[in-house]
Short mmCIF file of all heavy atoms in Angstrom, two decimals:
data_model
loop_
_atom_site.label_atom_id
_atom_site.label_comp_id
_atom_site.label_asym_id
_atom_site.label_seq_id
_atom_site.Cartn_x
_atom_site.Cartn_y
_atom_site.Cartn_z
N THR X 206 -22.42 -29.37 41.41
CA THR X 206 -21.52 -30.41 41.92
C THR X 206 -21.62 -31.67 41.07
O THR X 206 -22.44 -31.74 40.13
CB THR X 206 -21.88 -30.78 43.37
OG1 THR X 206 -23.21 -31.31 43.38
CG2 THR X 206 -21.80 -29.56 44.28
N VAL X 207 -20.81 -32.65 41.43
CA VAL X 207 -20.81 -33.93 40.70
C VAL X 207 -22.17 -34.61 40.83
O VAL X 207 -22.56 -35.42 39.97
CB VAL X 207 -19.66 -34.82 41.24
CG1 VAL X 207 -19.71 -36.21 40.66
CG2 VAL X 207 -18.32 -34.19 40.94
N ALA X 208 -22.93 -34.23 41.87
CA ALA X 208 -24.26 -34.83 42.07
C ALA X 208 -25.18 -34.54 40.88
O ALA X 208 -26.16 -35.27 40.66
CB ALA X 208 -24.86 -34.29 43.35
N ALA X 209 -24.86 -33.50 40.11
CA ALA X 209 -25.71 -33.16 38.97
C ALA X 209 -25.51 -34.11 37.79
O ALA X 209 -26.27 -34.09 36.81
CB ALA X 209 -25.42 -31.74 38.54
N PHE X 210 -24.48 -34.94 37.86
CA PHE X 210 -24.18 -35.87 36.76
C PHE X 210 -25.06 -37.11 36.87
O PHE X 210 -25.34 -37.59 37.98
CB PHE X 210 -22.70 -36.29 36.80
CG PHE X 210 -21.77 -35.22 36.29
CD1 PHE X 210 -21.60 -34.04 37.00
CD2 PHE X 210 -21.08 -35.39 35.11
CE1 PHE X 210 -20.74 -33.06 36.54
CE2 PHE X 210 -20.23 -34.40 34.63
CZ PHE X 210 -20.07 -33.23 35.36
N VAL X 211 -25.50 -37.63 35.73
CA VAL X 211 -26.31 -38.87 35.73
C VAL X 211 -25.47 -39.99 35.11
O VAL X 211 -24.64 -39.75 34.22
CB VAL X 211 -27.62 -38.70 34.93
CG1 VAL X 211 -28.55 -37.74 35.64
CG2 VAL X 211 -27.35 -38.25 33.51
N GLU X 212 -25.69 -41.19 35.57
CA GLU X 212 -24.90 -42.33 35.09
C GLU X 212 -25.25 -42.69 33.65
O GLU X 212 -26.38 -42.53 33.22
CB GLU X 212 -25.14 -43.54 36.00
CG GLU X 212 -24.16 -43.56 37.14
CD GLU X 212 -24.22 -44.87 37.89
OE1 GLU X 212 -24.42 -45.91 37.25
OE2 GLU X 212 -24.04 -44.82 39.11
N ILE X 213 -24.28 -43.21 32.95
CA ILE X 213 -24.49 -43.62 31.56
C ILE X 213 -24.72 -45.13 31.54
O ILE X 213 -24.03 -45.88 32.25
CB ILE X 213 -23.25 -43.26 30.70
CG1 ILE X 213 -23.14 -41.74 30.59
CG2 ILE X 213 -23.31 -43.89 29.33
CD1 ILE X 213 -21.82 -41.25 30.04
N ASP X 214 -25.68 -45.52 30.73
CA ASP X 214 -25.99 -46.95 30.60
C ASP X 214 -24.77 -47.66 29.99
O ASP X 214 -24.40 -47.37 28.84
CB ASP X 214 -27.22 -47.11 29.70
CG ASP X 214 -27.67 -48.57 29.61
OD1 ASP X 214 -26.88 -49.44 30.03
OD2 ASP X 214 -28.78 -48.82 29.12
N SER X 215 -24.13 -48.53 30.79
CA SER X 215 -22.88 -49.14 30.32
C SER X 215 -23.11 -50.15 29.20
O SER X 215 -22.17 -50.55 28.51
CB SER X 215 -22.16 -49.83 31.50
OG SER X 215 -23.03 -50.78 32.06
N GLU X 216 -24.33 -50.54 28.97
CA GLU X 216 -24.59 -51.50 27.88
C GLU X 216 -24.74 -50.78 26.55
O GLU X 216 -24.14 -51.14 25.54
CB GLU X 216 -25.86 -52.30 28.19
CG GLU X 216 -25.61 -53.34 29.26
CD GLU X 216 -26.79 -54.27 29.43
OE1 GLU X 216 -27.71 -54.22 28.60
OE2 GLU X 216 -26.78 -55.00 30.43
N THR X 217 -25.58 -49.75 26.53
CA THR X 217 -25.81 -49.04 25.24
C THR X 217 -24.71 -48.01 24.98
O THR X 217 -24.41 -47.72 23.84
CB THR X 217 -27.17 -48.31 25.26
OG1 THR X 217 -27.15 -47.35 26.33
CG2 THR X 217 -28.32 -49.27 25.44
N MET X 218 -24.14 -47.50 26.06
CA MET X 218 -23.15 -46.42 25.97
C MET X 218 -23.66 -45.25 25.12
O MET X 218 -22.94 -44.65 24.34
CB MET X 218 -21.80 -46.93 25.40
CG MET X 218 -21.04 -47.84 26.34
SD MET X 218 -20.65 -47.05 27.92
CE MET X 218 -19.20 -46.14 27.50
N LYS X 219 -24.95 -44.97 25.30
CA LYS X 219 -25.52 -43.84 24.56
C LYS X 219 -25.90 -42.74 25.54
O LYS X 219 -26.34 -43.01 26.67
CB LYS X 219 -26.74 -44.28 23.77
CG LYS X 219 -26.38 -45.04 22.51
CD LYS X 219 -27.51 -45.06 21.51
CE LYS X 219 -27.02 -45.62 20.18
NZ LYS X 219 -28.06 -45.80 19.22
N SER X 220 -25.77 -41.52 25.09
CA SER X 220 -26.05 -40.37 25.95
C SER X 220 -27.55 -40.17 26.08
O SER X 220 -28.29 -40.27 25.09
CB SER X 220 -25.41 -39.13 25.35
OG SER X 220 -25.93 -37.98 25.94
N THR X 221 -27.99 -39.87 27.27
CA THR X 221 -29.40 -39.54 27.45
C THR X 221 -29.66 -38.08 27.07
O THR X 221 -30.79 -37.66 26.91
CB THR X 221 -29.81 -39.74 28.93
OG1 THR X 221 -28.90 -39.02 29.74
CG2 THR X 221 -29.82 -41.20 29.31
N ILE X 222 -28.60 -37.34 26.90
CA ILE X 222 -28.75 -35.92 26.54
C ILE X 222 -28.80 -35.77 25.02
O ILE X 222 -29.71 -35.15 24.47
CB ILE X 222 -27.58 -35.10 27.14
CG1 ILE X 222 -27.63 -35.19 28.66
CG2 ILE X 222 -27.64 -33.66 26.68
CD1 ILE X 222 -26.36 -34.76 29.36
#
Side-chain angles (χ1 to χ4, degrees):
Chain X
T206 63
V207 173
F210 284 68
V211 292
E212 271 191 35
I213 292 167
D214 184 347
S215 57
E216 285 188 10
T217 60
M218 290 301 278
K219 283 199 171 174
S220 165
T221 52
I222 298 164

